[in-house]
Amino acid sequence: MINKRGQHKRKNQRSLILIGILCIVMICTFVFFLHHTNKEVQAGQAYVVAQEKKSTSALKPTLEKKRQAEMSQAMAEGKLNVYSMFDDYVFLGDSRVMGFEEYGYLDANRVLGDSGGTIKRVDDHLNDIQSLKPTRVYLSYGMNDMGLKINDEEGGYAKVYETEVKKILAIVPNAKIYVCSIIPCTPEALQKSSSWGQVGTYNQQLKAMCKKNKWTYINCTKLADNGNADIYQSDGIHFLTSFYPVWAQTIIDATQKAES
């Protein structure tokens, strides 16, 4: 009888020990979890506080990259077209640029193109630029500039171009500048004016100018296949409607690369 009682007592003692051990494990687990949870909460709070301390301008590049990535993915999935990627911009240029507006691809208020336009007509659009306050400025001139032989002027074409762009930056100093290379005309059109054959010389100057000023030079010349691509209207100078999505994609690709 005593033995049975002793066994029962030892059994109860073991049970109490096991329960005690289990309680200790549970308490330790809880403390460990609480400690790490607090660390994560503190880290999260610290991040929020740090972000709140940042100015809107400091956060803008990060948010813009995220937005661009989201839009790029949406475009790849067919949910957006390339023209949706143009944001907070103005596009200056000649009658070639006007096609973006005339065909309904881009906002007419932001396409500041001129028939017969040259880089020297930037002054005509400074009021519009001041009103719109774009963060991106795209420029595409050249055919009429070559016709006027602007490269023969003092300082050359790049000097004239640079002076005009700086007028824009005086109004919107934080805007990013994107300069499209001159797209050549067809060999047939070239026969009408030998000055249009200076594309290479003018583009070399534009590229060097952009490098000097840390602006983005966009190589659009490659799209023309030396004037033999199927992108031209009958005059061999202006572009078919079907070319504008290709041109726009080239511009957007260069924009994203520059801003990534």
Side-chain angles (χ1 to χ4, degrees):
M1 187 72 176
I2 295 174
N3 289 338
K4 288 184 178 180
R5 286 179 179 177
Q7 291 175 356
H8 182 70
K9 184 177 181 180
R10 286 194 295 274
K11 186 176 181 181
N12 287 340
Q13 288 176 339
R14 286 196 296 271
S15 297
L16 289 172
I17 292 171
L18 289 173
I19 292 172
I21 294 172
L22 182 61
C23 288
I24 292 171
V25 171
M26 291 177 67
I27 290 171
C28 290
T29 302
F30 176 75
V31 170
F32 178 83
F33 175 78
L34 184 62
H35 174 70
H36 282 268
T37 300
N38 285 337
K39 286 183 66 177
E40 291 175 0
V41 170
Q42 290 171 1
Q45 290 174 338
Y47 175 80
V48 171
V49 170
Q51 296 305 304
E52 288 177 344
K53 288 181 178 179
K54 289 183 179 180
S55 64
T56 303
S57 59
L59 288 171
K60 189 173 182 179
T62 301
L63 296 175
E64 178 62 21
K65 286 181 181 180
K66 182 178 180 181
R67 188 191 67 82
Q68 287 285 354
E70 290 172 346
M71 292 183 72
S72 296
Q73 182 177 350
M75 190 168 65
E77 295 172 354
K79 298 176 182 178
L80 285 176
N81 62 51
V82 66
Y83 303 109
S84 300
M85 302 294 288
F86 285 86
D87 182 48
D88 196 17
Y89 70 97
V90 294
F91 205 141
L92 292 92
D94 51 29
S95 55
R96 285 174 157 183
V97 168
M98 291 173 66
F100 281 113
E101 168 196 345
E102 292 174 347
Y103 297 132
Y105 292 135
L106 292 177
D107 186 349
N109 294 322
R110 292 183 175 273
V111 179
L112 310 179
D114 303 290
S115 181
T118 79
I119 187 60
K120 290 185 172 184
R121 293 189 63 178
V122 164
D123 283 357
D124 297 343
H125 302 292
L126 293 180
N127 288 337
D128 290 327
I129 293 171
Q130 187 170 28
S131 176
L132 291 167
K133 293 181 174 59
T135 57
R136 299 183 183 90
V137 177
Y138 298 102
L139 300 101
S140 180
Y141 291 99
M143 294 301 293
N144 299 308
D145 295 339
M146 290 187 292
L148 293 173
K149 299 182 179 180
I150 292 180
N151 193 42
D152 294 342
E153 297 183 14
E154 185 176 354
Y157 186 53
K159 181 63 177 178
V160 176
Y161 208 114
E162 181 180 35
T163 299
E164 297 303 316
V165 172
K166 287 184 176 179
K167 291 179 182 179
I168 297 172
L169 288 173
I171 297 172
V172 283
N174 296 320
K176 295 180 176 65
I177 301 297
Y178 295 90
V179 177
C180 293
S181 68
I182 304 169
I183 300 175
C185 60
T186 63
E188 292 76 18
L190 181 58
Q191 293 177 4
K192 299 176 183 179
S193 176
S194 59
S195 62
W196 290 338
Q198 296 296 307
V199 170
T201 299
Y202 277 63
N203 279 340
Q204 284 177 4
Q205 291 198 37
L206 291 179
K207 188 174 183 179
M209 175 196 72
C210 288
K211 183 177 180 180
K212 170 189 171 185
N213 291 282
K214 296 183 179 180
W215 301 334
T216 301
Y217 174 79
I218 305 177
N219 182 7
C220 304
T221 310
K222 59 186 179 181
L223 304 175
D225 188 22
N226 295 317
N228 297 307
D230 186 20
I231 63 174
Y232 300 94
Q233 295 185 18
S234 58
D235 62 5
I237 298 171
H238 296 94
F239 304 130
L240 298 171
T241 308
S242 57
F243 174 66
Y244 283 87
V246 179
W247 191 8
Q249 187 65 64
T250 300
I251 293 169
I252 290 300
D253 287 346
T255 301
Q256 292 182 327
K257 183 177 179 180
E259 298 181 13
S260 62

